[in-house]
Amino acid sequence: MSGPSLRKQDAHTSIHESALNEAIDLRMLLQKCLTEDQKEKAIKVAEVTIEHWESRTLQHAASEEEGLYKEMVAEHPSLHPIVLQLTRDHDLMRRMVEQMKNLLIHDEIDERMVSLLDSLIIVDSIHNEDEMNKLLSYNESYTMEILEKGEDIA
């Protein structure tokens, strides 16, 4: 069962925006370290950045897949194609983070890492927008429909 904040658009948007803003800040910091040829600091920033993506965004993604997405499809089978699309976004993000980890393992902290971060940020931004507009807006309009009919929401 997913937590209530995952089902509420405002709360869920806040979770996404917070993680994405932190990711953007880390990306900018990594770029600065590379530009200023601060290799050791760049390695530390890359480690923190990977940890951020794994612990914030990808952990959140796993929670969505294990709870929210399954629940939404069970309640509204017509949402299955949207959930597949959103899950694919998560898979792409996981693959990009793995590529970043491989670069880090091979001590290849360079513009490729920044490119991967740019790609992650773009995919995550589009994903967040789709999740709000295609999945959670459906949930909110369904909830309003029930409230207007006077039915209880379990």
Side-chain angles (χ1 to χ4, degrees):
M1 177 113 190
S2 62
S5 61
L6 288 182
R7 286 185 162 263
K8 295 185 177 160
Q9 236 178 345
D10 290 344
H12 203 131
T13 297
S14 293
I15 293 168
H16 283 196
E17 285 178 0
S18 171
L20 189 56
N21 287 334
E22 290 170 13
I24 291 167
D25 289 344
L26 288 166
R27 181 257 181 243
M28 300 302 285
L29 184 56
L30 179 62
Q31 179 67 59
K32 182 178 185 228
C33 291
L34 292 173
T35 301
E36 296 175 359
D37 201 29
Q38 298 176 331
K39 178 102 172 147
E40 293 304 313
K41 188 173 179 183
I43 290 170
K44 288 182 181 5
V45 172
E47 290 170 346
V48 169
T49 301
I50 290 167
E51 166 65 22
H52 167 80
W53 279 97
E54 289 180 328
S55 66
R56 295 286 309 265
T57 303
L58 297 180
Q59 186 58 45
H60 176 75
S63 296
E64 290 175 335
E65 291 170 8
E66 293 164 8
L68 177 66
Y69 291 0
K70 287 180 180 178
E71 293 167 13
M72 294 292 290
V73 169
E75 293 170 18
H76 314 287
S78 64
L79 293 174
H80 188 256
I82 293 166
V83 166
L84 287 177
Q85 171 194 344
L86 295 170
T87 302
R88 174 65 174 155
D89 295 344
H90 292 164
D91 291 340
L92 290 171
M93 288 188 280
R94 286 182 188 103
R95 290 175 68 182
M96 285 184 262
V97 170
E98 280 304 310
Q99 288 179 12
M100 289 171 51
K101 287 169 79 171
N102 285 333
L103 289 173
L104 182 62
I105 288 167
H106 294 99
D107 200 28
E108 297 174 352
I109 309 302
D110 55 26
E111 288 302 319
R112 291 175 293 174
M113 179 84 67
V114 176
S115 292
L116 284 166
L117 286 170
D118 288 340
S119 299
L120 270 165
I121 289 165
I122 290 167
V123 169
D124 194 33
S125 295
I126 293 168
H127 170 84
N128 294 347
E129 186 177 306
D130 286 348
E131 198 171 82
M132 293 308 119
N133 295 331
K134 295 179 180 179
L135 186 70
L136 292 179
S137 66
Y138 188 92
N139 189 49
E140 299 244 333
S141 61
Y142 178 73
T143 302
M144 290 306 295
E145 206 175 288
I146 291 171
L147 288 173
E148 288 170 0
K149 290 179 183 176
E151 298 176 23
D152 289 332
I153 300 174

